[in-house]
Amino acid sequence: EPERIVIAMGPSGTISVNQARVPLAELKSDLEKRLSSDSKKSVHVAGDEKVPYGTFVQVMDIARQAGARQINILHQGRGEEKA
């Protein structure tokens, strides 16, 4: 069972993959490495409610370019861990 790939976005524009901070410029290569061992090519995207919609879309586009075939959006309620 491959690890679950979770991309989290914080309100200040920070991006984390499985709780490790990743600069936007390195996100595609980071995801390519992680997705290479995932037969489902699945990622989960979580964003703080203050994350701009454009950033959310950009991250999902990068995930697709990196090879993700399935993108699941996780709702992040108050009190949950943020990126």
Side-chain angles (χ1 to χ4, degrees):
E1 179 91 6
E3 70 173 333
R4 184 175 176 196
I5 301 169
V6 179
I7 306 166
M9 291 170 276
S12 61
T14 58
I15 297 171
S16 300
V17 179
N18 293 357
Q19 300 184 340
R21 190 74 52 90
V22 177
L24 184 63
E26 296 172 21
L27 182 60
K28 184 178 175 197
S29 62
D30 184 277
L31 290 175
E32 284 172 340
K33 284 183 209 134
R34 293 174 191 268
L35 287 164
S36 67
S37 61
D38 181 354
S39 60
K40 291 185 190 168
K41 306 293 184 214
S42 173
V43 298
H44 303 268
V45 179
D48 182 276
E49 60 193 22
K50 295 179 185 76
V51 172
Y53 181 74
T55 302
F56 208 82
V57 170
Q58 183 182 18
V59 166
M60 289 195 298
D61 283 345
I62 290 170
R64 277 195 198 91
Q65 292 166 19
R69 283 194 225 119
Q70 183 179 355
I71 298 175
N72 305 293
I73 297 172
L74 303 175
H75 176 72
Q76 234 174 1
R78 298 199 185 286
E80 290 183 33
E81 188 173 323
K82 304 283 190 262

